[in-house]
Amino acid sequence: MIRVLHRIDVIARQSVPFALALLLVLMSALPATLPVFRQAAPWWVLIAVFYWSVYRPDLMPVQAAFVLGLLQDFLIGTPPGVSALLYVVLRGCAGVIARHVTGRSFLKVWVLFAIVAASAVIARHLIMILWYEQLVDPGLAVVQLLLTVGVYPLAGWALARLQKGLLAHV
Amino acid sequence: MARNPASSIARYAIPLKVWLQRFAVMTFVVLAFGVMLLGKADSRLMERARVAVADLMSPILDVASEPAQTVSNFMDSLTELAVLREENARLRQENARLLEWERAARSLQSQNAALRSLTNFVDVPPAREIATWVIGDSSGVYVRSLLIAAGTDHGVAKGQAVLTGEGLVGRVLEAGQRVSRVLLITDLNSRIPVRIERTRVRAILVGDNTDRPLLEYLPSHDVVAPGDRVVTSGDAGVFPPGLAIGEVVAVTETGVRVRPFVDWNRLELVRVADFALPGILDDFRQGSAEAAAGPALPRASNGPVNAEGRDGAEGG
């Protein structure tokens, strides 16, 4: 019995990264709570996928990244497959990124995240231009990038706390 | 000795795992591209899939949007408190102005009624309306759309107009069973045939993902001035003529910008109106609207629905 309970506990803890990212996907589709964030909220899901891909890749498998992206595309109305593609590619690069992250100072991790986020935003913008077959104003995308990079220290800290607290032994 | 087989298995198993993982990344990259191509090739199918997903998630969205709304209302009331006095003074002024307008409107209304009875005027049939909650807002960097908590179960169908008391919000892009997606007038894909209320000149309101959509296909920029009201023209039969949209705020070399009357930050309840128009939904049929300065009809009414008859008959 105890063994079963323990197993359930482990599974529950292991599903936290995906569940949290799923929650962020749902949140991105809700009516915005703050007027400032109405159009260009931080890209929370990108932060979550980045963090777990790098620090706990076993708990953020490729298929999870794909499902998160596809669900987000379907819910918020971006061309289907775009976010899915970006998250899968990010997850695919996780190994390379992790090598540059482990044992580095937080500042270096932050800079690395900024580079990753900028690449994702630029890639997404280019896909959108191809998709809509017209130039799209990049202003909001830049604002979103700045917000995303700006909130990373706080979000990364919270995720690290979560990892240490809940996932230390699973 | 017993460990040897295990370690030899591990020797092969680990590279295999890595290889499978790489293969998985490639598979899902290809899959994502496939979904993208499919979505580009058959946007109707994709829109249906989207609404189906939204339908599935609607109980969660329904519940989750409530606390979000509460927080939003709380923030609103905080900011309102701060500007209460100013707002009060502004409202007094506006009230005085509106009372005068009411007098004018009443006299015009009776005049209009008299003229209508003289000419046996047939008006646009009144709309069948339902009111519903906004449960999802994907006003992101690239998309401007809403999810509303009503679908085919409640009589919502593709193409119906979505309004608030202030003006036009958009149109139903796809109706699911319990949830529908609304394309806002500010979305990149939104094209709405409109008319400048003062000069009766026609144009197309083109969304570009900013809060200030553009007026295009104007014969010249001289026919509009900041402050002019923009209303639907009724061309193409998607919307009835005369629905309020917004006012012109900027007339520059780069374009004419319109500020919609709808307050995007406070979209909670919307009305879905079925005007039962026989119109088509192909946005591009109104290429004819490029000859925008259509013959201006003699005007009298400032009412919510302009007495100009159906543009279908007029514009051919």
Side-chain angles (χ1 to χ4, degrees):
Chain A
M1 184 64 192
I2 299 232
R3 189 177 270 180
V4 172
L5 282 181
H6 180 71
R7 187 80 204 119
I8 290 173
D9 179 56
V10 168
I11 290 173
R13 281 164 191 257
Q14 281 176 342
S15 57
V16 163
F18 179 72
L20 185 77
L22 192 67
L23 195 72
L24 292 173
V25 167
L26 286 176
M27 255 176 59
S28 70
L30 287 179
T33 45
L34 297 173
V36 221
F37 281 165
R38 232 199 83 239
Q39 287 159 6
W43 195 349
W44 297 109
V45 187
L46 186 80
I47 296 178
V49 173
F50 172 86
Y51 186 90
W52 297 117
S53 299
V54 169
Y55 292 101
R56 287 304 295 267
D58 55 324
L59 301 184
M60 179 59 71
V62 184
Q63 52 271 37
F66 180 80
V67 167
L68 288 171
L70 202 62
L71 190 65
Q72 187 172 34
D73 286 332
F74 272 19
L75 276 181
I76 70 174
T78 37
V82 175
S83 307
L85 178 71
L86 293 172
Y87 297 158
V88 167
V89 170
L90 172 58
R91 175 60 185 78
C93 300
V96 183
I97 300 170
R99 249 184 306 209
H100 291 279
V101 160
T102 37
R104 300 297 171 93
S105 69
F106 177 75
L107 195 67
K108 283 195 178 138
V109 178
W110 193 14
V111 170
L112 198 68
F113 174 74
I115 294 169
V116 168
S119 317
V121 167
I122 291 169
R124 189 183 56 175
H125 198 74
L126 293 178
I127 295 173
M128 292 296 174
I129 289 174
L130 289 177
W131 178 275
Y132 290 119
E133 292 161 22
Q134 58 176 302
L135 288 177
V136 186
D137 181 22
L140 277 175
V142 173
V143 174
Q144 188 180 37
L145 174 63
L146 293 177
L147 282 172
T148 310
V149 175
V151 298
Y152 184 77
L154 195 69
W157 173 80
L159 289 172
R161 290 294 302 240
L162 194 72
Q163 190 188 358
K164 284 202 186 91
L166 273 176
L167 303 170
H169 306 294
V170 292
Chain B
M1 201 62 199
R3 284 196 154 197
N4 267 346
S7 71
S8 68
I9 287 172
R11 213 171 48 211
Y12 293 106
I14 289 170
L16 187 74
K17 204 176 162 193
V18 169
W19 190 81
L20 268 178
Q21 205 138 38
R22 262 188 214 150
F23 186 69
V25 170
M26 278 318 293
T27 310
F28 281 103
V29 165
V30 171
L31 210 58
F33 267 114
V35 173
M36 270 159 74
L37 287 179
L38 189 65
K40 188 76 183 154
D42 192 347
S43 55
R44 174 100 185 140
L45 175 82
M46 248 339 139
E47 199 48 54
R48 276 200 195 144
R50 263 187 219 291
V51 171
V53 170
D55 247 347
L56 266 175
M57 304 304 262
S58 71
I60 306 176
L61 287 173
D62 242 346
V63 172
S65 68
E66 248 165 68
Q69 207 61 64
T70 315
V71 175
S72 172
N73 287 349
F74 179 69
M75 298 303 291
D76 276 354
S77 50
L78 277 188
T79 43
E80 268 165 25
L81 269 180
V83 291
L84 207 57
R85 192 183 283 268
E86 238 173 86
E87 181 77 357
N88 202 11
R90 195 183 63 77
L91 286 176
R92 269 174 211 278
Q93 269 183 1
E94 193 175 279
N95 196 29
R97 205 158 42 82
L98 286 180
L99 278 174
E100 229 158 90
W101 270 111
E102 194 199 348
R103 245 201 334 270
R106 277 182 195 283
S107 87
L108 284 172
Q109 192 183 26
S110 59
Q111 189 189 24
N112 197 22
L115 288 173
R116 281 183 183 203
S117 67
L118 273 179
T119 54
N120 291 328
F121 180 77
V122 180
D123 204 350
V124 179
R128 204 177 50 78
E129 289 188 351
I130 57 163
T132 182
W133 291 103
V134 173
I135 56 166
D137 179 353
S138 55
S139 297
V141 179
Y142 297 102
V143 193
R144 294 292 144 90
S145 67
L146 296 176
L147 285 178
I148 54 172
T152 48
D153 281 1
H154 314 90
V156 175
K158 183 177 167 145
Q160 290 174 350
V162 180
L163 312 145
T164 65
E166 297 150 324
L168 185 69
V169 174
R171 67 178 167 86
V172 175
L173 189 62
E174 189 68 54
Q177 209 181 339
R178 292 180 304 270
V179 183
S180 305
R181 184 176 291 281
V182 178
L183 189 76
L184 302 188
I185 56 175
T186 49
D187 188 275
L188 207 57
N189 292 312
S190 171
R191 304 280 184 278
I192 295 169
V194 295
R195 202 184 267 283
I196 313 294
E197 200 171 54
R198 182 175 58 90
T199 55
R200 314 310 301 161
V201 170
R202 289 185 192 155
I204 301 283
L205 187 74
V206 177
D208 65 347
N209 274 7
T210 65
D211 276 353
R212 304 267 186 280
L214 282 162
L215 274 187
E216 286 188 1
Y217 305 114
L218 282 164
S220 81
H221 285 187
D222 305 339
V223 295
V224 287
D228 280 353
R229 275 167 55 92
V230 175
V231 298
T232 54
S233 73
D235 291 305
V238 176
F239 300 120
L243 297 177
I245 292 182
E247 61 175 359
V248 175
V249 282
V251 182
T252 59
E253 289 295 310
T254 51
V256 179
R257 295 267 171 194
V258 174
R259 184 185 62 79
F261 290 131
V262 175
D263 183 355
W264 303 112
N265 289 326
R266 295 185 191 193
L267 271 180
E268 278 181 71
L269 275 170
V270 292
R271 289 181 293 144
V272 184
D274 179 11
F275 293 97
L277 295 175
I280 45 105
L281 285 168
D282 184 358
D283 286 341
F284 298 103
R285 206 195 81 171
Q286 33 301 10
S288 60
E290 282 174 41
L297 290 176
R299 309 288 324 143
S301 157
N302 276 322
V305 173
N306 290 321
E308 67 186 31
R310 295 286 281 282
D311 279 273
E314 177 198 327

